[in-house]
């Protein structure tokens, strides 16, 4: 938000852009897209979803599709993915309290972060 304010204050030729190389289907891409809209960025590269195969958990995908219709769609194989067919993502399905959050990820399918190894915690380079 600070960089967006700077661009506005400094004027042309300064601008802000957006790209998601790592945002996968679910909360991360929803919240990133909501931020891009909030900042008033009219075009953003949304290609992080291409590196994943949508939701690999059918129940999780169905929950997100039901909570955010139009932002997600089923592909020909039945997998829930971002609805990018028109080249635009609708913002209305993200208008939920909690920063575009209307469905929960399948927390049971996630792994917790691990503690650093002893070599790293002792300052020894890997």
């Amino acid at each position: 938000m600070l960089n967006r304010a700077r661009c506005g204050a400094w004027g042309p030729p300064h601008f802000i852009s957006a790209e998601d190389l790592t945002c996968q289907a679910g909360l991360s891409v929803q919240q990133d897209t909501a931020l891009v809209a909030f900042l008033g960025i009219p075009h953003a590269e949304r290609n992080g979803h291409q590196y994943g195969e949508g939701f690999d958990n059918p129940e999780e995908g169905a929950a997100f599709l039901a909570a955010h219709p139009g932002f997600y769609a089923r592909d020909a194989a039945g997998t829930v993915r971002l609805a990018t067919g028109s080249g635009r993502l609708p913002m209305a399905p993200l208008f939920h309290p909690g920063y575009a959050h209307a469905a929960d990820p399948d927390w049971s399918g996630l792994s917790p972060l691990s503690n650093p190894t002893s070599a790293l915690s002792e300052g020894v380079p890997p």
Side-chain angles (χ1 to χ4, degrees), residues 64-92:
F64 275 82
L65 177 61
H68 304 283
F71 194 77
Y72 295 105
R74 288 193 187 277
D75 65 13
T79 302
V80 176
R81 302 173 152 282
L82 283 179
T84 59
S86 69
R88 301 177 66 90
L89 289 171
M91 296 297 100

Side-chain angles (χ1 to χ4, degrees), residues 1-8 10 16 39:
M1 288 189 282
L2 178 60
N3 285 336
R4 175 65 181 98
R6 286 176 175 150
C7 288
W10 295 337
I16 191 165
L39 294 175

Side-chain angles (χ1 to χ4, degrees), residues 44-126:
E45 189 173 343
R46 302 278 109 191
N47 60 2
H49 68 280
Q50 294 172 337
Y51 301 110
E53 294 297 325
F55 289 93
D56 60 353
N57 177 320
E59 292 80 23
E60 182 181 37
F64 275 82
L65 177 61
H68 304 283
F71 194 77
Y72 295 105
R74 288 193 187 277
D75 65 13
T79 302
V80 176
R81 302 173 152 282
L82 283 179
T84 59
S86 69
R88 301 177 66 90
L89 289 171
M91 296 297 100
L94 300 182
F95 292 161
H96 292 280
Y99 197 20
H101 174 211
D104 284 317
D106 177 14
W107 300 109
S108 68
L110 301 176
S111 300
L113 294 174
S114 61
N115 290 325
T117 65
S118 59
L120 291 176
S121 63
E122 294 171 7
V124 178

Side-chain angles (χ1 to χ4, degrees), residues 3-28:
N3 285 336
R4 175 65 181 98
R6 286 176 175 150
C7 288
W10 295 337
H14 301 93
F15 65 95
I16 191 165
S17 64
E19 178 181 14
D20 76 335
L21 289 175
T22 60
C23 292
Q24 297 297 306
L27 285 177
S28 64

